[in-house]
Amino acid sequence: GDSVTQMEGPVTLSEEAFLTINCTYTATGYPSLFWYVQYPGEGLQLLLKATKADDKGSNKGFEATYRKETTSFHLEKGSVQVSDSAVYFCALPLVGTGNQFYFGTGTSLTVIP
Amino acid sequence: DTGVSQDPRHKITKRGQNVTFRCDPISEHNRLYWYRQTLGQGPEFLTYFQNEAQLEKSRLLSDRFSAERPKGSFSTLEIQRTEQGDSAMYLCASSGDPLKEQYFGPGTRLTVT
């Protein structure tokens, strides 16, 4: 069935370093793809999304490109900040009655000053 | 738009007790989802409502779990005869459109002692 596989963490970076968190998907069609972020003690927030192949989602300096040829949706940021420390989840909606989301296992990012 | 709210935020209960959680979705959203998240994992789907109808349930939702959405607005999730394995974060999400983003509440953290 449809799923996402996410790079395992945890990831520790120094401030201003470049970030990549890998996400690959398996899907029968071309679903929308999402990245959610969970800050400590909070619920999930949508970070960005892409609705079709070659789309680039972007928000708060983060970007991810929906690549059909490699079935990937990697999250990138050119210069991370301490405030980016959080857990990041890749997700896609499953085909079915409710279109509930299938989430990756999450990647914990810690940015040190 | 006040977002998705959940109550309580934290619940500690003794094994064998019943607990009930409430979720208030974004008012114009007709789709409501419950997920469960354990430490170090992504959220896992439990059940889905469209308006007041419960249209899908995960195999994770044992007979001790019941959910309702009586008037198509707020929803409750009840766990009877709680077990230590029920300890988790219970997340509620709502959506106004299939395959588009879901908006998450802050979650209810359940600890069963």
Side-chain angles (χ1 to χ4, degrees), chain A residues 21-40:
Chain A
I21 300 178
N22 291 341
C23 172
T24 57
Y25 68 89
T26 301
T28 50
Y30 300 103
S32 297
L33 297 172
F34 299 81
W35 277 100
Y36 278 81
V37 58
Q38 189 172 34
Y39 297 103

Side-chain angles (χ1 to χ4, degrees), chain B:
Chain B
D1 178 0
T2 56
V4 179
S5 61
Q6 292 187 245
D7 184 67
R9 295 289 304 276
H10 303 275
K11 179 70 177 179
I12 301 173
T13 191
K14 293 184 178 179
R15 188 176 54 190
Q17 298 295 304
N18 300 343
V19 294
T20 300
F21 310 142
R22 177 179 170 124
C23 170
D24 287 88
I26 293 172
S27 57
E28 61 267 30
H29 286 178
N30 61 346
R31 292 170 170 250
L32 187 147
Y33 305 81
W34 285 97
Y35 293 84
R36 182 171 69 187
Q37 184 180 20
T38 53
L39 197 63
Q41 299 297 315
E44 295 176 294
F45 170 73
L46 292 178
T47 190
Y48 158 67
F49 289 85
Q50 185 165 336
N51 300 311
E52 66 277 7
Q54 187 176 20
L55 298 183
E56 196 158 348
K57 292 193 285 188
S58 161
R59 288 174 297 174
L60 291 176
L61 211 66
S62 77
D63 291 344
R64 297 183 297 104
F65 287 69
S66 63
E68 294 182 342
R69 193 182 183 196
K71 297 183 180 179
S73 56
F74 73 92
S75 175
T76 58
L77 177 68
E78 181 183 17
I79 309 174
Q80 296 183 326
R81 305 181 303 282
T82 53
E83 301 173 356
Q84 287 190 321
D86 297 331
S87 296
M89 176 77 85
Y90 290 85
L91 297 168
C92 176
S94 71
S95 174
D97 199 333
L99 303 179
K100 291 195 174 179
E101 60 263 35
Q102 295 179 12
Y103 295 84
F104 282 81
T108 294
R109 181 169 296 284
L110 173 66
T111 302
V112 182
T113 61

Side-chain angles (χ1 to χ4, degrees), chain A residues 20 29 39 48 60 66:
Chain A
T20 300
Y39 297 103
L48 54 82
K60 299 182 180 180
Y66 190 155

